Amino acid sequence: MRTVRIFLVLAALAAATPAAAQQVFIPSLQLDALRLEQEATQRRMIDQQNQLMAAEAKAKADQAALQLQLQRDLPLRPPEVRHDPTVPAAAVPPATPPAYPTTPDAALADSNRKVQDATRNRR
């Protein structure tokens, strides 16, 4: 009976050894696969950044070309306004000074007297 138990234990250990080795082997394969996936993702990200930078450079170049085209199409200077001697000049009325509001001296003196009285009679 003891030999049967020892045999069963040895058989179980023998069966477990390849499984344990396989478990170590599988995670290393998974780790390699994850590394490859990460590198591929990084390459895709770099490609996207390059495409974005190329599109941005193209947009700037197009904008600069459009500005140059607009500068070519615009006239060099505005047309001159020439005075026609046959048309009489409009008469400009003389400038009138603005009318500022005024306060009569009597009203100012009365207001000052009231303020002075109020400051003397403090309760």
Side-chain angles (χ1 to χ4, degrees):
M1 193 72 166
R2 251 182 196 216
T3 57
V4 173
R5 285 185 189 170
I6 292 175
F7 178 73
L8 288 176
V9 169
L10 288 176
L13 287 175
T17 303
Q22 190 177 15
Q23 288 177 355
V24 171
F25 185 66
I26 289 175
S28 69
L29 286 178
Q30 290 174 345
L31 184 61
D32 290 341
L34 288 174
R35 284 184 183 146
L36 289 174
E37 185 179 337
Q38 183 181 14
E39 289 174 5
T41 303
Q42 287 176 345
R43 275 189 246 113
R44 279 194 303 269
M45 188 173 65
I46 290 171
D47 288 341
Q48 287 175 349
Q49 287 176 346
N50 289 342
Q51 289 173 357
L52 180 64
M53 291 175 73
E56 184 179 347
K58 184 181 182 310
K60 285 183 181 179
D62 290 344
Q63 183 180 9
L66 181 63
Q67 286 178 348
L68 285 175
Q69 184 64 37
L70 287 174
Q71 288 176 356
R72 284 188 208 121
D73 293 343
L74 290 176
L76 296 178
R77 55 183 154 157
E80 295 179 16
V81 178
R82 298 183 184 224
H83 176 67
D84 187 5
T86 59
V87 177
V92 178
T96 58
Y100 295 110
T102 59
T103 305
D105 290 339
L108 287 175
D110 184 45
S111 174
N112 189 27
R113 182 185 50 78
K114 288 178 182 175
V115 170
Q116 295 296 329
D117 290 343
T119 55
R120 280 190 224 121
N121 294 329
R122 292 190 181 192
R123 293 183 185 190

